[in-house]
Amino acid sequence: MKRFFMKRKNLIVSTVLILCLILSTFALAQQESEENPHKVKNVILMIPDGMTIAHTSLARWYQDGESLAMDEIACGLIRTHSANNPITDSAPAATAYATGFKTQNRYLSIYPEMVSMPGVGQVDEKDFYKPIVTILEAAKKAGKSTGLVFTCQFPHATPAAFASHSDNRNDYENIAEQMVYNQVDVVFGGGYKYIDKNQRKDKEDLARYLKENGFFVTPSWYEAKNFYGQKIWGLFAQDAMHYDFDRNGSGEPSLAEMTQKAIQLLSKNKNGFFLMVEGSEIDWASHANDPVGVISDVLAFDRAVKVALEFAKSRNDTAVIIASDHSNGGMSIGNYSTKYDTAMLNDFLKYIKKAKRTGAGIEELLGNNRTDENIKKIVSEYYGVDNLTQDEINAIKNAKTGELNYVLGPIISKRSNLGWTTNGHTGEDVVLYAYHPNNYIPRGLIDNTEVCDYMAEILGIDLGSFNENAYISNIDLEEKGYNVSIDTSNPSNVQLVISKENKTYIIPQNKNVVLAGSTQYRLKYVSVYIPTAKRFFVSSEVENLIK
């Protein structure tokens, strides 16, 4: 009998404790909700690189005036300038979205040393080139899953800005290594050669590193779409992927398919996720003034938007933000020769609607067979153009490898009454689109840095606290009395060497490790070497290791 009462007493105590725990958890959640009633678990940021209002207008007409999925959530405009130029390139533009700070052209998620635009705060000299913690890195530290989806090669400017730090956006090998060591949970896109030891100049086996750290690594979409774990790098092309119109037969997935799979995998984390999706090649088509490429990848991007919005609307914990990083090409519906009071819709769409491939796709079809007859045959079959001039045929014949779209794009644009002002970026505002389950969205004209501020707010992430003491430089360490040197004897593997008493600590660039003899320590952040400034930045907790 006594044992029975003891068991009953223990059961009552246990039940009370469980109830107290449930009530305290509920109270904590309620308090958190009251402090940040707009907080969400998941944020999907979607970047249609280089997309303008002219692009979306033409895309709607291409599908007979039918609205785009993104149209219903248009809510404002974004200023896009960098720290030092009215016209930004993709690196500082993506940096603004990733970090909430402006930097200068070519830089990826590091502070600028050059600030010349009105309203942009000057940076203290000691912080020049210092890495800025990104919202993706902070989300991962906060226990969320992270993902990057794109159609370019993964070390390209936009995805790179979220998971690497550099003063040279074209330094793909070093950027790729940082992104791998940052261990983004889900990466879908192109660029397999940048993790393949046989194709890297430094022979680093980054694919093996990922596998050893629990990632499934594959170049096969079939394998990726049948994967149901949580950590995967699916790189479906050696370099960049095809334009959407040119994918047929390539085995590559669409942007929508990759987005859907990424969401499926990332949403397994009860703490939520941060996902960036880029329509990478809208920008490239714009550089080439290729309207067929623009239509191809604006519509492919919009199908990915539909996937993201359907997921967000099916629950109450997900926000979707769509923001182009800059305008490109100066595209207009109508050019100098257009008589707009008599021009009919078919005058703009006749050839574009007949197009089955982009300019890049036509180049693949032509191969080395650029005879007059084959050029006329292919262009007639895939573009419906039967009246090429001899000058146009010669231009196609003599186009450099990889640049035929720069010839075919203007040929189609001229016949379609479309104007272009440049093969480069332009500096006007871009459209902001946003969805939030409680309709808490930014409106009006905002700065591109405010997109990051908004995402951090609704995720409940204090980016400032992450950045406050994240990195320390070789100069800082020297000032603190440490014996520090930068070993550049192997340019492919620059190292920071810290000596103290009888111990030597070696910190390789791009990795998040410290080597002390046979012992290896892991750091919070990847190490970054800026060769032009001879500055080496390391995760600040290294000081505790070497004390």
Side-chain angles (χ1 to χ4, degrees), residues 254-465:
S254 69
L255 189 66
E257 288 173 316
M258 292 190 291
T259 300
Q260 189 164 45
K261 186 64 181 181
I263 290 172
Q264 178 196 77
L265 299 178
L266 293 169
S267 59
K268 293 181 177 186
N269 187 339
K270 61 181 176 53
N271 295 319
F273 65 83
F274 172 83
L275 170 65
M276 191 286 294
V277 177
E278 183 196 25
S280 315
E281 296 174 37
I282 299 169
D283 180 67
W284 299 358
S286 301
H287 277 297
N289 295 174
D290 178 5
V292 179
V294 166
I295 292 293
S296 162
D297 280 45
V298 166
L299 293 178
F301 177 80
D302 195 59
R303 287 190 285 272
V305 169
K306 184 179 179 183
V307 167
L309 284 176
E310 285 177 350
F311 173 80
K313 290 178 179 181
S314 71
R315 44 204 294 146
N316 62 359
D317 61 0
T318 303
V320 178
I321 301 97
I322 303 165
S324 178
D325 50 353
H326 52 72
S327 300
N328 192 349
M331 181 185 181
S332 61
I333 299 177
N335 56 26
Y336 279 111
S337 63
T338 305
K339 295 179 173 57
Y340 59 83
D341 51 349
T342 58
M344 306 301 288
L345 186 57
N346 190 50
D347 295 327
F348 297 95
L349 296 175
K350 179 170 61 174
Y351 292 107
I352 293 175
K353 282 215 169 190
K354 289 179 180 177
K356 302 171 188 173
R357 293 282 187 108
T358 71
I362 295 294
E363 182 170 355
E364 276 192 11
L365 291 170
L366 283 172
N368 294 322
N369 184 9
R370 294 197 188 183
T371 63
D372 287 17
E373 287 307 308
N374 194 45
I375 287 170
K376 287 191 282 187
K377 174 178 174 292
I378 293 292
V379 173
S380 173
E381 181 179 351
Y382 286 89
Y383 275 3
V385 175
D386 296 317
N387 58 349
L388 286 175
T389 67
Q390 191 58 47
D391 284 345
E392 289 172 333
I393 292 171
N394 291 340
I396 293 170
K397 189 181 298 184
N398 297 322
K400 294 179 181 178
T401 301
E403 295 186 9
L404 185 58
N405 52 346
Y406 282 77
V407 174
L408 280 169
I411 287 173
I412 298 301
S413 292
K414 183 178 179 181
R415 284 167 168 76
S416 303
N417 293 281
L418 299 176
W420 299 87
T421 64
T422 176
N423 291 115
H425 297 177
T426 55
E428 65 271 19
D429 303 333
V430 296
V431 178
L432 169 68
Y433 307 80
Y435 169 83
H436 185 281
N438 299 330
N439 203 33
Y440 178 69
I441 56 176
R443 299 184 186 277
L445 176 66
I446 67 171
D447 191 78
N448 53 6
T449 58
E450 293 178 90
V451 173
C452 182
D453 296 341
Y454 168 72
M455 294 189 296
E457 179 191 352
I458 61 176
L459 282 173
I461 290 174
D462 181 0
L463 268 178
S465 66

Side-chain angles (χ1 to χ4, degrees), residues 76 95 115 126 221 228 254 287 309 329 423-424 484 489 502 510 524:
T95 293
V115 174
K126 69 179 179 60
W221 173 240
Y228 294 100
S254 69
H287 277 297
L309 284 176
N423 291 115
V484 180
S489 57
N502 295 324
N510 307 324
K524 288 181 183 177

Side-chain angles (χ1 to χ4, degrees), residues 5-58:
F5 281 116
M6 286 297 292
K7 284 184 177 179
R8 188 176 177 188
K9 182 180 179 182
N10 288 339
L11 179 62
I12 292 169
V13 170
S14 299
T15 304
V16 170
L17 286 172
I18 291 169
L19 285 171
C20 288
L21 182 62
I22 291 170
L23 288 171
S24 63
T25 303
F26 175 76
L28 186 63
Q30 189 175 28
Q31 181 185 354
E32 189 177 82
S33 176
E34 288 170 357
E35 289 174 357
N36 187 357
H38 309 301
K39 188 174 180 180
V40 294
K41 271 197 348 182
N42 314 312
V43 162
I44 303 171
L45 172 63
M46 309 189 74
I47 302 176
D49 199 307
M51 189 181 79
T52 72
I53 290 175
H55 293 145
T56 51
S57 299
L58 187 63

Side-chain angles (χ1 to χ4, degrees), residues 141 181-182 470-471 512 522-526 539-541:
K141 300 291 184 294
Y181 273 81
N182 249 327
Y471 278 94
N512 57 352
R522 178 163 288 190
L523 299 172
K524 288 181 183 177
Y525 301 105
V526 294
S539 195
S540 60
E541 83 268 21

Side-chain angles (χ1 to χ4, degrees), residues 95-385:
T95 293
Y97 290 156
T99 69
F101 286 91
K102 287 187 185 291
T103 192
Q104 63 198 72
N105 284 355
R106 291 169 54 90
Y107 286 14
L108 290 167
S109 297
I110 62 174
Y111 289 111
E113 85 280 10
M114 185 186 301
V115 174
S116 59
M117 289 298 293
V120 182
Q122 295 291 327
V123 176
D124 193 306
E125 186 176 353
K126 69 179 179 60
D127 289 329
F128 288 176
Y129 312 103
K130 188 175 183 178
I132 314 170
V133 177
T134 72
I135 192 161
L136 181 146
E137 291 171 324
K140 191 166 183 66
K141 300 291 184 294
K144 294 183 181 293
S145 291
T146 56
L148 296 169
V149 173
F150 42 86
T151 55
C152 59
Q153 54 277 74
F154 76 89
H156 204 266
T158 302
F162 288 84
S164 72
H165 311 270
S166 177
D167 68 336
N168 180 7
R169 57 169 286 183
N170 297 317
D171 188 7
Y172 282 4
E173 287 220 342
N174 284 317
I175 290 167
E177 189 171 21
Q178 286 187 39
M179 294 177 76
V180 165
Y181 273 81
N182 249 327
Q183 295 195 18
V184 183
D185 296 290
V186 175
V187 175
F188 287 151
Y192 192 90
K193 72 179 186 179
Y194 298 102
I195 64 169
D196 181 1
K197 68 176 181 179
N198 297 316
Q199 299 187 70
R200 287 181 59 87
K201 293 174 186 174
D202 62 7
K203 302 305 178 186
E204 285 269 0
D205 194 344
L206 298 182
R208 187 182 71 177
Y209 172 84
L210 286 167
K211 291 171 185 175
E212 288 175 349
N213 283 272
F215 286 82
F216 182 63
V217 180
T218 181
S220 162
W221 173 240
Y222 176 80
E223 289 185 345
K225 72 180 179 181
N226 289 296
F227 173 77
Y228 294 100
Q230 288 184 281
K231 296 166 67 175
I232 179 173
W233 277 51
L235 300 174
F236 311 114
Q238 287 296 311
D239 208 28
M241 296 172 69
H242 286 80
Y243 287 96
D244 197 71
F245 277 9
D246 305 334
R247 278 193 309 110
N248 191 28
S250 69
E252 296 173 3
S254 69
L255 189 66
E257 288 173 316
M258 292 190 291
T259 300
Q260 189 164 45
K261 186 64 181 181
I263 290 172
Q264 178 196 77
L265 299 178
L266 293 169
S267 59
K268 293 181 177 186
N269 187 339
K270 61 181 176 53
N271 295 319
F273 65 83
F274 172 83
L275 170 65
M276 191 286 294
V277 177
E278 183 196 25
S280 315
E281 296 174 37
I282 299 169
D283 180 67
W284 299 358
S286 301
H287 277 297
N289 295 174
D290 178 5
V292 179
V294 166
I295 292 293
S296 162
D297 280 45
V298 166
L299 293 178
F301 177 80
D302 195 59
R303 287 190 285 272
V305 169
K306 184 179 179 183
V307 167
L309 284 176
E310 285 177 350
F311 173 80
K313 290 178 179 181
S314 71
R315 44 204 294 146
N316 62 359
D317 61 0
T318 303
V320 178
I321 301 97
I322 303 165
S324 178
D325 50 353
H326 52 72
S327 300
N328 192 349
M331 181 185 181
S332 61
I333 299 177
N335 56 26
Y336 279 111
S337 63
T338 305
K339 295 179 173 57
Y340 59 83
D341 51 349
T342 58
M344 306 301 288
L345 186 57
N346 190 50
D347 295 327
F348 297 95
L349 296 175
K350 179 170 61 174
Y351 292 107
I352 293 175
K353 282 215 169 190
K354 289 179 180 177
K356 302 171 188 173
R357 293 282 187 108
T358 71
I362 295 294
E363 182 170 355
E364 276 192 11
L365 291 170
L366 283 172
N368 294 322
N369 184 9
R370 294 197 188 183
T371 63
D372 287 17
E373 287 307 308
N374 194 45
I375 287 170
K376 287 191 282 187
K377 174 178 174 292
I378 293 292
V379 173
S380 173
E381 181 179 351
Y382 286 89
Y383 275 3
V385 175

